Amino acid sequence: MSEAFLSIRDLKVHFPTTDGIVKATDGLSYDLEKGKTLGIVGESGSGKSVSSSAIMGLYRGTNAQVSGQIILEGSDLLTLTDSEMRDMRGKDVSMIFQDPLSAMHPYYTVGNQIAEAYKVHNDVSKKAARSRAIEMLDRVGIPQPDRRVDDYPHQFSGGMRQRAMIAMGLINDPKLLIADEPTTALDVTVQAQILDLLQDLQRDFEAAVIIITHDLGVVAEMADDVLVMYAGRAVEYGSNKEIFTQPQMPYTWGLLSSIPDVTGDTDVPLIPIPGNPPSLLNPPKGCAFHPRCPHRDKVPDGRCATELPELLAQGSVPTHLSRCHLTDPDRVYEQEVLPMIAPDRVGES
Amino acid sequence: MSETMSTAPAGGAPAAEPEDDAILQVRNLKMYFPVKSTGIIRRTIGHVQAVDGVSFRVPAGGSLGLVGESGCGKSTTGRMVTRLYEPTGGSIMFDGQDITKINARGLKPLRREIQMIFQDPYTSLNPRHTVGSIVGAPLRIHGVLPKDKVLGRVQELLEIVGLNPEHYNRYPHEFSGGQRQRIGIARALTLQPKLLVADEPVSALDVSIQAQVINLLRDLQKEFNIAFLFIAHDLAVVRHFCPEVAVMYLGKIVEVGDRETLYNHPNHPYTQALLSAVPDVSQATIGGRRERIRLEGDVPSPINPPSGCRFRTRCPIAKDICAAVEPPLLQIGPRHKVACHFPGEIGAHPTEPVTQRLLGVDAHGQPDPGASPVEIPSGPGYSDTWFDLRSNALGRS
Ligand SMILES: Nc1ncnc2c1ncn2[C@@H]1O[C@H](COP(=O)(O)OP(=O)(O)OP(=O)(O)O)[C@@H](O)[C@H]1O
Ligand SMILES: Nc1ncnc2c1ncn2[C@@H]1O[C@H](COP(=O)(O)OP(=O)(O)OP(=O)(O)O)[C@@H](O)[C@H]1O
Ligand code: SF4
Ligand SMILES: [Mg+2]
Ligand SMILES: [Mg+2]
């Protein structure tokens, strides 16, 4: 196995607020190899965007408290100076943001903003930067790019803005690309094109890609490995196949059972996870998921409510990790969960 | 057989449509945005035909799903229905009243009855206001509740959409994407509207909260008889929520039908491509990407849309007639309309254009002097007679 290209170790991002400290990311660790795609899924508000913004160094100079290690090709990004980080950002590491409109300046044309992202890191003329911007707009499928390059962000549809953001993120051929909900605003045919584009980039440049998305279908089709987050921490991590076929922890089970089906019965209500997302000001003690977990009574002595489970390999696959006190998750999955989410697959394995 | 067709009386006048239960009826709606030249004198040099003649209806307490290409005009349609935009053409009937050109004074009561959940949860919330005041604003503006009751009601709404009432005093930037989307939903629900235009209401939510919100919207719909124009890219979510679904491409509706027909027997090549591209979780076991119909070429510009059928530049089955004549949105089943010269299920598209005689053209779309074209109903609902694909004749019921 090649050495990890990116290693996150015990990353914490805490926001002091008037109500107390919001622990948006609270001890996150994972690895990513060159040329691989990591899919990050999980609860809305679980720290997916915040932890990624921390990799990009976006909390420098704010009151957020960031600690731990973000090691990219051997050097810890948290120890870089501000100017070293600025050189890196948008060039070696690049992020496509979840909110395309607010990430773009309303008073500059789309083309100017894309060209600017290129000029910051390359010593080129205005004209060369502009034609590079047009080329990128074309590559992400904007029609008549030589004309639309002069449009302002509000003149683009939601999906076109997202493609423009992607063009900006890819313009310097980054080594690490973080795509935060890159295709949520797109129809599925354009989504498929953008995913093709990300795969091409990866093949051509051996880039490492992190895709954050709520669309589990996208993760299933794109990711090599999958990280599931809940309340600021990793709760499960493993290969794509393991996460979808042999998931080990109750939050992941809940996610998989909530997916609406393009062919399933429409009259039955969907099955959400009961209860509300946890407060990050006063996160639940023990396992953060325990107040909503339908399986906590299977663990003796009420340990779920008192003891934080570690992220450990539970089964035979050493790289499949999960954070749960259940001692026989595979049996519970097969006997209680699978019959609910995929009755036709019961007894298959 | 051809006799029946060209003389079919059913085609003569648009058949009466059952319209009484519709809360919203949209006819031939158009929105053209001017395109200005660059330079000192900015002249209008063209128009973005964002929406170009769409008709549909939403029954009271029912739901119509609107899906389609990014940029095809879904949000623009929603913004016309809520009258944030004044349409360039066409008409909007809401609850028996023509609201197409209604003035600012007439709009205020309307704002209470038609609410919108905005696509972009980031920019649609005022960053300087706390969540409590954002969600409570409609209550105060319309004076529906005494001041001392607002706080309680807002906290209740926050709880309904799965937000912690402790968030009351926080500002939008302190929330994640999905949390902001729920703030937008809470705000839209405060006044219990009759019609909710929900523009991508759940796209930023994880699937579990998405399931909660969809179940919630369904319950509210049943309880308060709220009608939905439900815009989304997630075809599974739309199918789950909407008994009726319309597919748009470049400013036009290309197919509309009840969900069983549309998802199981799509007849338009664009709908077929769309459905084939839905990412599938079961792919994790197989590995790699799912097989799909790849659309060639670029999305054409709505400033200069292709002649004839707007989809023809990317359509895998297009022929001469597609560039020459626009296919009408033709009813081909009890609750199914499609705008294609060659409608049919995948692999079973006819070789000859079925629309040829109706339009009075030959197979290449050139005028056929011997033919007598038929007027095809273009209203928002369905007729009780339609064009039968098997017999190639109008007038079947
Ligand atoms: N500047 C801030 N100040 C205080 N709290 C914040 C701030 N930014 C984010 N948070 C909180 O941190 C938590 C994590 O937010 P983050 O945006 O990472 O969530 P996410 O996992 O990306 O969710 P989503 O899927 O909804 O986008 C949220 O509960 C959010 O409210
Ligand atoms: N204010 C405006 N001025 C000029 N053009 C506009 C304006 N608003 C929208 N458009 C154009 O109209 C077309 C339709 O945009 P709209 O936002 O309705 O698309 P949409 O179907 O909602 O797309 P998406 O799925 O990406 O949100 C696009 O080509 C867009 O660029
Ligand atoms: S009408 Fe022609 S171009 Fe349009 S979809 Fe049908 S076959 Fe394709
Ligand atoms: Mg996020
Ligand atoms: Mg839109």
Side-chain angles (χ1 to χ4, degrees):
Chain A
M1 202 158 80
S2 63
E3 194 189 316
F5 168 69
L6 172 72
S7 284
I8 307 286
R9 288 291 170 270
D10 199 29
L11 179 65
K12 294 186 178 163
V13 184
H14 291 180
F15 298 103
T17 68
T18 45
D19 303 325
I21 291 181
V22 175
K23 302 184 187 80
T25 302
D26 202 28
L28 177 68
S29 304
Y30 63 82
D31 286 337
L32 175 58
E33 282 172 43
K34 238 197 170 105
K36 296 270 181 199
T37 299
L38 174 71
I40 303 185
V41 300
E43 184 93 349
S44 165
S46 62
K48 301 181 297 294
S49 300
V50 165
S51 56
S52 306
S53 301
I55 297 177
M56 297 293 296
L58 296 180
Y59 296 118
R60 285 167 179 256
T62 72
N63 69 345
Q65 302 155 357
V66 182
S67 66
Q69 291 179 306
I70 301 173
I71 301 167
L72 184 79
E73 290 188 309
S75 67
D76 185 350
L77 299 189
L78 290 182
T79 64
L80 297 184
T81 65
D82 284 356
S83 87
E84 284 168 334
M85 191 65 222
R86 260 197 309 275
D87 285 343
M88 193 117 196
R89 190 188 300 142
K91 184 161 167 274
D92 298 328
V93 296
S94 166
M95 181 159 170
I96 297 165
F97 290 92
Q98 191 173 2
D99 50 338
L101 194 55
S102 56
M104 282 196 157
H105 198 293
Y107 298 137
Y108 294 95
T109 64
V110 171
N112 270 338
Q113 298 184 57
I114 298 177
E116 194 52 39
Y118 190 59
K119 267 176 49 195
V120 169
H121 297 289
N122 299 277
D123 187 15
V124 292
S125 69
K126 230 174 137 175
K127 203 165 153 229
R130 181 184 154 92
S131 64
R132 173 82 178 159
I134 295 173
E135 180 194 325
M136 290 310 295
L137 283 176
D138 187 38
R139 208 166 147 196
V140 296
I142 300 280
Q144 299 193 322
D146 48 341
R147 176 177 298 205
R148 306 292 310 232
V149 70
D150 294 319
D151 277 0
Y152 291 89
H154 77 271
Q155 291 169 300
F156 273 32
S157 77
M160 289 161 68
R161 285 199 287 267
Q162 191 62 323
R163 279 183 269 172
M165 284 299 299
I166 292 172
M168 205 186 295
L170 297 184
I171 200 161
N172 295 310
D173 297 325
K175 293 186 210 160
L176 170 66
L177 177 72
I178 304 175
D180 193 354
E181 299 281 358
T183 57
T184 315
L186 306 176
D187 72 83
V188 288
T189 60
V190 179
Q191 164 170 291
Q193 287 171 1
I194 297 286
L195 298 180
D196 287 346
L197 190 76
L198 289 177
Q199 280 185 333
D200 289 350
L201 168 92
Q202 190 154 34
R203 229 191 337 263
D204 298 351
F205 303 100
E206 273 229 299
V209 174
I210 296 176
I211 290 192
I212 302 172
T213 176
H214 291 306
D215 190 330
L216 295 168
V218 169
V219 173
E221 295 203 355
M222 292 288 290
D224 297 295
D225 296 317
V226 180
L227 173 75
V228 184
M229 286 188 70
Y230 190 82
R233 294 198 181 95
V235 292
E236 186 157 359
Y237 176 82
S239 75
N240 190 351
K241 191 165 179 182
E242 280 148 16
I243 297 286
F244 283 98
T245 55
Q246 201 57 257
Q248 289 177 337
M249 102 47 91
Y251 174 68
T252 313
W253 298 340
L255 267 191
L256 293 176
S257 61
S258 309
I259 308 176
D261 191 340
V262 230
T263 52
D265 195 347
T266 46
D267 289 326
V268 287
L270 299 166
I271 325 168
I273 301 169
N276 276 332
S279 153
L280 298 177
L281 286 171
N282 298 300
K285 293 222 161 42
C287 169
F289 188 57
H290 88 264
R292 307 169 70 188
C293 182
H295 302 283
R296 59 171 182 242
D297 292 338
K298 298 188 178 79
V299 176
D301 311 325
R303 278 167 65 217
C304 295
T306 54
E307 210 181 295
L308 173 68
E310 280 185 65
L311 188 67
L312 291 175
Q314 312 275 354
S316 52
V317 184
T319 50
H320 184 180
L321 313 176
S322 59
R323 197 187 278 284
C324 175
H325 287 307
L326 286 173
T327 46
D328 51 355
D330 288 350
R331 191 191 56 81
V332 179
Y333 176 68
E334 238 124 78
Q335 295 183 354
E336 297 183 29
V337 184
L338 202 54
M340 259 168 55
I341 61 180
D344 48 312
R345 270 174 44 212
V346 175
E348 227 172 53
S349 48
Chain B
M1 204 81 263
S2 59
E3 287 295 86
T4 338
M5 213 215 57
S6 45
T7 57
E17 287 162 352
E19 297 183 339
D20 14 300
D21 71 327
I23 184 106
L24 179 71
Q25 292 217 54
V26 162
R27 276 174 204 277
N28 202 18
L29 202 60
K30 293 185 180 164
M31 186 79 225
Y32 292 180
F33 296 107
V35 182
K36 304 272 186 201
S37 61
T38 48
I40 303 168
I41 305 164
R42 292 171 60 84
R43 285 177 302 119
T44 299
I45 50 171
H47 286 95
V48 177
Q49 303 177 17
V51 176
D52 196 22
V54 303
S55 302
F56 57 81
R57 62 196 291 280
V58 183
S63 305
L64 174 72
L66 207 53
V67 302
E69 189 89 21
S70 314
C72 67
K74 303 180 296 296
S75 299
T76 303
T77 302
R79 284 169 172 267
M80 285 190 279
V81 166
T82 42
R83 278 304 322 277
L84 293 168
Y85 290 159
E86 183 166 320
T88 310
S91 70
I92 308 169
M93 292 288 287
F94 173 73
D95 210 7
Q97 186 192 0
D98 186 343
I99 62 164
T100 324
K101 301 259 170 207
I102 205 166
N103 61 16
R105 241 179 79 220
L107 275 174
K108 193 178 173 197
L110 199 66
R111 295 257 178 267
R112 231 184 118 165
E113 304 198 317
I114 308 180
Q115 288 279 320
M116 180 150 180
I117 300 172
F118 290 93
Q119 176 168 15
D120 196 331
Y122 293 88
T123 48
S124 59
L125 302 176
N126 187 328
R128 275 185 281 278
H129 289 181
T130 63
V131 167
S133 76
I134 290 172
V135 176
L139 292 173
R140 282 185 291 270
I141 292 169
H142 293 275
V144 247
L145 276 185
K147 274 210 174 71
D148 55 324
K149 295 267 164 49
V150 171
L151 174 71
R153 174 76 183 136
V154 169
Q155 288 184 326
E156 189 182 292
L157 282 161
L158 291 178
E159 196 138 18
I160 285 181
V161 297
L163 287 171
N164 202 318
E166 84 184 15
H167 290 157
Y168 188 87
N169 279 319
R170 286 166 61 183
Y171 291 88
H173 78 270
E174 297 173 63
F175 288 89
S176 77
Q179 290 166 333
R180 280 183 245 200
Q181 199 161 44
R182 279 174 281 163
I183 297 167
I185 294 173
R187 177 178 58 183
L189 291 174
T190 41
L191 298 172
Q192 288 172 13
K194 284 188 189 157
L195 173 69
L196 200 54
V197 175
D199 195 355
E200 295 282 0
V202 294
S203 62
L205 305 179
D206 69 73
V207 285
S208 170
I209 296 174
Q210 171 178 293
Q212 277 181 11
V213 169
I214 288 178
N215 290 346
L216 164 84
L217 292 179
R218 267 199 170 191
D219 292 347
L220 290 168
Q221 174 168 48
K222 284 206 192 100
E223 196 176 333
F224 302 111
N225 208 38
I226 304 173
F228 278 81
L229 180 61
F230 193 98
I231 302 171
H233 284 305
D234 188 323
L235 294 164
V237 166
V238 170
R239 177 170 176 279
H240 201 88
F241 198 80
C242 308
E244 192 97 9
V245 181
V247 182
M248 282 182 74
Y249 185 86
L250 215 62
K252 299 209 180 253
I253 291 179
V254 295
E255 187 161 10
V256 54
D258 64 275
R259 72 181 143 211
E260 283 72 24
T261 309
L262 198 94
Y263 281 75
N264 301 328
H265 308 284
N267 266 250
H268 195 285
Y270 177 64
T271 314
Q272 290 160 353
L274 203 60
L275 285 168
S276 82
V278 177
D280 185 1
V281 281
S282 58
Q283 206 62 32
T285 28
I286 306 161
R289 308 278 301 281
R290 191 184 148 197
E291 278 293 312
R292 63 172 205 275
I293 302 171
R294 279 167 195 270
L295 294 179
E296 299 299 328
D298 286 337
V299 185
S301 155
I303 300 173
N304 261 319
S307 64
C309 172
R310 292 186 170 194
F311 185 55
R312 71 173 162 88
T313 53
R314 307 174 70 206
C315 178
I317 60 164
K319 296 196 174 149
D320 289 354
I321 187 174
C322 303
V325 208
E326 182 179 345
L329 188 61
L330 186 65
Q331 186 172 342
I332 58 163
R335 305 186 71 77
H336 191 192
K337 290 182 185 178
V338 59
C340 175
H341 294 298
F342 303 92
E345 293 195 38
I346 296 181
H349 292 279
T351 46
E352 292 290 307
V354 304
T355 47
Q356 176 181 342
R357 289 210 184 82
L358 299 176
L359 298 169
V361 294
D362 65 14
H364 303 283
Q366 300 313 312
D368 178 355
S372 40
V374 171
E375 193 183 326
I376 295 160
S378 62
Y382 296 104
S383 315
D384 41 20
T385 53
W386 61 84
F387 184 84
D388 182 47
L389 286 179
R390 262 160 310 191
S391 61
N392 239 344
L394 262 183
R396 134 112 202 214
S397 65

